[in-house]
Amino acid sequence: MAIWKSVVGKLWMTIIGLVAVVLLILGVFILQFIDAYFAHSKDQSQSLEKLAIQVSYKLYEHIRDPQYLKVTGDVLGAQQIGLALVQTDFSESAPASIEGTATFRASDLFSRAELKKVFDGNTMYKQERDYVAVAVPLADKAKNEIVGATVIYQPVKSLEATRTDVKKLFVYAGVIGFLLTTFFAFFLLTKITQPLRQMKKAADMITMGEYGTRVPIRSSDEIGELANTFNHMAEKLDKTIRDLHHEKEHLSSVLRSMGDAVITFDADGRVILANPQGVKIIREWTGIAWTDQDADTQSTPSADGKHIPDPLQNLFHSVATEMKETTAKLHVHNGVWSVVMAPLYASGQVRGVVAVLRDVTEEYRLEKLRKDFVANVSHELRTPLSMLQGYSEALIDDIAASPEEKKELAQVIHDESLRMGRLVNDLLDLARMEAGHLELNFRNTDIKSLMQRVYRKFFTLAKERNIALHLELDEGDLTLAHADEDRLEQVLTNL
């Protein structure tokens, strides 16, 4: 990782930037101050000019008085001002010098051409690196002529020298600041970034599933508080993950133990969860050519069983579109399935669908048998009722003339009433079976006697219909110790 992208690099660059800005601002103010200070050098030149004029005005009157020249030199020397005199023939004298500094002659400060201009009545200025000098004419008032020049000079520090010193100072300060910031930046590397790196490593370990990872707390400052908070967060996360894992295992156990098939689909119809019964259904139904659909909702089944099977397509699209629970029955592979499908929501939108499927083939078959039985019994009841009504009307109308005919009609009425009684008993038995109250009388039952009785009951009927009915019994005793003889006879009679 590049250093300028790290915390230390950013902190290092920030400190260096702050030091640079501070030095820059300080340098601007100092340079402005220096410029303002040297701007007064013109005032200094003007003051020296006035002073030179005054000295030159009195100097020629007392030029031959050594005492006057000494006093003048001492007064000027006290002000750090030097004095030099030059005559028109360029002969020079230096009656006053500055103590502790170099003494200059007029020719050291001005050239002959410049002095000639002074001899012509002009004032000359000269600013060297270390001195400011002014040359004014020295006049003889009595003769009203210029006899020489008065030169006074005063030391002054150069602006360029000062700027050079200031630049050197800033270079030294910049280098020192750079070294100090670099030292402190790498010092902070161990104090700040090392705990952060440890927390990053711990976070990576937690990402890989090591939820018991903790960060050592080395200080009580903000970094230590952050490490403590990180450990608390990791502890809570570990507990939450364990709880979620426990709930997941509990839910998985419930789903595996369910007899019903449970399948969860996402919004695109892909299977995201299924219990073993659901996996079995997906495998069995994958690839079924399902034609009872609209063309818009048909889809090509996935061979890997990860997409919704075609038998559930219509129901899936209906639930996903209408966003409400739907119940339906599907006939697949000669079986009947009860399907309950409900939407799953996330942020107010359908994120998937859960389907619960139950095999109701046996219930459906039993219900059909019950309905068929009731229909058949109704038909069977209608026949004896019609016969009872017809034969009873024949007796009432005296259609049968002889006693034999009346007896025969009465016998038919009796037989049909018995038949109707048996049908009614069958209905009562069915109602008792559905209610769970069918009573059985268990006792020792002789099977041979039961079979012979049923054989005799149906032998004549079978003979009339040209049906060969035979009874074959093994020799020896054939007894059931715990059976309901009446119910067994009823079963055989119904068969």
Side-chain angles (χ1 to χ4, degrees):
M1 182 177 62
I3 189 170
W4 55 83
K5 292 184 179 180
S6 64
V7 175
V8 175
K10 293 177 180 178
L11 184 61
W12 180 32
M13 294 173 65
T14 302
I15 296 176
I16 289 178
L18 290 175
V19 172
V21 170
V22 171
L23 291 177
L24 180 62
I25 296 175
L26 182 60
V28 170
F29 279 106
I30 290 178
L31 291 176
Q32 287 181 350
F33 173 77
I34 293 174
D35 289 339
Y37 171 77
F38 276 93
H40 291 290
S41 63
K42 294 181 180 180
D43 298 336
Q44 183 181 7
S45 300
Q46 293 175 359
S47 301
L48 288 177
E49 179 186 2
K50 294 178 180 180
L51 181 60
I53 293 173
Q54 293 177 0
V55 171
S56 179
Y57 181 78
K58 296 290 184 181
L59 189 61
Y60 187 76
E61 296 178 358
H62 306 279
I63 195 169
R64 291 177 176 82
D65 186 356
Q67 188 65 29
Y68 179 82
L69 294 177
K70 183 178 184 303
V71 173
T72 301
D74 293 341
V75 172
L76 294 176
Q79 300 180 42
Q80 294 289 310
I81 299 174
L83 175 63
L85 300 176
V86 59
Q87 298 179 5
T88 54
D89 59 356
F90 298 102
S91 58
E92 300 183 34
S93 62
S97 61
I98 304 173
E99 184 178 357
T101 62
T103 301
F104 293 96
R105 296 168 60 87
S107 58
D108 295 331
L109 300 173
F110 295 97
S111 64
R112 283 177 174 261
E114 293 172 335
L115 291 175
K116 286 181 179 181
K117 293 180 180 180
V118 177
F119 297 157
D120 294 334
N122 298 314
T123 301
M124 296 299 296
Y125 299 94
K126 199 65 174 284
Q127 180 174 335
E128 297 293 339
R129 177 177 178 83
D130 299 321
Y131 290 90
V132 175
V134 178
V136 297
L138 178 62
D140 184 356
K141 296 181 181 179
K143 298 179 180 180
N144 195 21
E145 62 179 5
I146 297 175
V147 297
T150 301
V151 178
I152 62 174
Y153 55 90
Q154 187 177 26
V156 63
K157 193 170 183 180
S158 171
L159 176 63
E160 290 75 10
T162 304
R163 285 181 173 176
T164 303
D165 294 339
V166 170
K167 289 178 181 179
K168 291 181 180 179
L169 176 63
F170 279 104
V171 170
Y172 296 150
V175 171
I176 294 173
F178 176 80
L179 294 176
L180 289 177
T181 53
T182 303
F183 172 76
F184 283 114
F186 285 97
F187 174 75
L188 291 174
L189 174 64
T190 58
K191 295 298 182 180
I192 296 179
T193 60
Q194 186 176 3
L196 295 178
R197 291 178 184 273
Q198 291 177 347
M199 279 187 277
K200 179 181 179 299
K201 183 178 180 181
D204 292 337
M205 296 293 292
I206 291 176
T207 303
M208 292 186 292
E210 298 292 336
Y211 301 110
T213 305
R214 297 294 182 269
V215 177
I217 301 175
R218 302 181 183 276
S219 61
S220 59
D221 54 5
E222 290 81 357
I223 300 296
E225 293 179 358
L226 179 61
N228 188 27
T229 304
F230 181 88
N231 290 338
H232 183 69
M233 179 198 68
E235 182 180 354
K236 291 291 184 181
L237 181 62
D238 188 18
K239 183 178 181 300
T240 303
I241 294 296
R242 287 199 304 269
D243 293 341
L244 289 175
H245 184 72
H246 176 73
E247 293 297 328
K248 180 181 178 181
E249 290 296 329
H250 179 71
L251 179 61
S252 298
S253 300
V254 172
L255 289 176
R256 286 194 299 268
S257 63
M258 288 180 62
D260 297 341
V262 180
I263 309 173
T264 303
F265 306 95
D266 62 11
D268 297 326
R270 290 188 294 268
V271 178
I272 57 178
L273 177 64
N275 63 348
Q277 292 77 10
V279 173
K280 180 180 178 181
I281 288 178
I282 293 173
R283 291 176 179 174
E284 291 177 353
W285 290 8
T286 297
I288 294 177
W290 196 253
T291 57
D292 189 17
Q293 311 184 56
D294 295 335
D296 294 338
T297 61
Q298 289 184 349
S299 64
T300 303
S302 174
D304 58 4
K306 293 182 179 180
H307 286 75
I308 184 170
D310 276 2
L312 298 174
Q313 284 282 351
N314 273 350
L315 197 59
F316 173 81
H317 288 290
S318 175
V319 172
T321 303
E322 299 177 4
M323 294 187 293
K324 64 179 181 180
E325 182 178 318
T326 304
T327 304
K329 280 186 172 59
L330 297 178
H331 296 260
V332 183
H333 284 325
N334 297 324
V336 183
W337 296 84
S338 175
V339 181
V340 179
M341 194 171 287
L344 299 175
Y345 296 96
S347 301
Q349 295 181 349
V350 177
R351 65 174 181 88
V353 172
V354 59
V356 180
L357 298 88
R358 174 177 295 178
D359 187 359
V360 294
T361 304
E362 186 65 22
E363 290 86 345
Y364 183 80
R365 187 183 66 82
L366 293 176
E367 179 66 16
K368 186 175 182 300
L369 288 176
R370 188 184 67 81
K371 290 181 179 179
D372 292 342
F373 176 78
V374 172
N376 291 334
V377 169
S378 300
H379 176 72
E380 293 294 333
L381 284 175
R382 191 178 297 111
T383 300
L385 284 174
S386 299
M387 296 182 69
L388 287 174
Q389 182 180 0
Y391 284 106
S392 62
E393 289 177 352
L395 289 175
I396 292 173
D397 296 338
D398 293 329
I399 295 177
S402 63
E404 289 78 7
E405 293 179 350
K406 292 181 179 180
K407 184 177 179 181
E408 184 179 355
L409 293 177
Q411 184 64 39
V412 172
I413 292 173
H414 177 69
D415 292 339
E416 293 299 325
S417 64
L418 292 177
R419 179 184 174 189
M420 189 168 61
R422 289 196 301 272
L423 292 174
V424 171
N425 290 332
D426 289 342
L427 289 176
L428 292 175
D429 290 341
L430 177 62
R432 293 191 190 99
M433 290 173 65
E434 290 181 346
H437 298 304
L438 182 63
E439 295 181 359
L440 298 177
N441 298 317
F442 296 104
R443 62 179 181 274
N444 192 13
T445 302
D446 185 2
I447 297 300
K448 285 187 176 181
S449 175
L450 173 63
M451 297 300 292
Q452 290 172 353
R453 187 164 61 252
V454 173
Y455 176 76
R456 287 194 301 270
K457 183 186 299 184
F458 289 98
F459 178 77
T460 303
L461 181 62
K463 186 176 180 181
E464 291 176 354
R465 298 184 180 182
N466 296 321
I467 296 175
L469 182 63
H470 301 282
L471 175 63
E472 296 180 0
L473 295 173
D474 295 336
E475 295 182 0
D477 186 22
L478 186 60
T479 304
L480 292 179
H482 194 68
D484 189 331
E485 184 176 355
D486 294 335
R487 294 303 177 187
L488 288 175
E489 184 176 354
Q490 182 182 8
V491 170
L492 294 174
T493 300
N494 290 334
L495 290 175

